[in-house]
């Protein structure tokens, strides 16, 4: 990674820290949580890691064999991590492990969708080759 790309990666990380720090400040001082700040801090963190991995903010490096392998394995692992984290967020935010006591139905639907997304996608994609 040349000097310019390193500087851009550092700037992306500084932007992430600034947005996340501002969100944390507002939460501690004013006891408010801003969804926009949370969203944009994750977006800045995404840019930072894409710069580190691929050298540009859009992600997905060169389409050589190694780049394709990295993307495939990352997608598989990321899917299962996201599935587990969404389930944990559901139960932690609701404060219960009992499904009958959960009132956040949109989040229940999102957690349910994490289970069926890959099988449905594989089914549709497999039709292309059968």
């Amino acid at each position: 990674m040349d000097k310019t790309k390193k500087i851009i990666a550092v700037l992306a990380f500084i932007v992430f820290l600034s947005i996340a720090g501002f969100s944390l400040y507002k939460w501690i001082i004013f006891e408010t949580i801003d969804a926009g700040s949370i969203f944009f801090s994750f977006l800045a963190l995404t840019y930072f890691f894409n710069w580190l991995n691929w050298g540009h903010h859009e992600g997905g490096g060169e389409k050589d064999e190694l780049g394709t392998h990295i993307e495939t394995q990352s997608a598989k692992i990321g899917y299962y991590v996201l599935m587990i984290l969404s389930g944990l967020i559901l139960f932690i935010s609701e404060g219960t492990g009992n499904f009958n006591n959960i009132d956040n139905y949109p989040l229940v639907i999102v957690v349910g969708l994490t289970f069926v997304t890959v099988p449905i996608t594989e089914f549709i994609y497999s039709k292309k080759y059968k």
Side-chain angles (χ1 to χ4, degrees), residues 32-83:
T32 61
I33 298 175
D34 184 15
S37 296
I38 294 170
F39 176 81
F40 286 112
S41 66
F42 279 118
L43 191 62
L45 190 61
T46 300
Y47 281 172
F48 170 69
F49 278 108
N50 281 336
W51 271 103
L52 287 181
N53 291 332
W54 307 111
H56 54 86
H57 71 277
E58 295 172 358
E62 301 168 4
K63 293 300 178 187
D64 62 353
E65 214 172 293
L66 179 60
T68 303
H69 178 71
I70 290 170
E71 284 183 341
T72 303
Q73 293 303 313
S74 298
K76 287 180 182 179
I77 293 168
Y79 168 74
Y80 291 111
V81 168
L82 189 59
M83 181 188 294

Side-chain angles (χ1 to χ4, degrees), residues 91 94-103:
F91 293 119
E94 291 294 313
T96 182
N98 185 350
F99 279 106
N100 294 326
N101 295 335
I102 293 177
D103 295 324

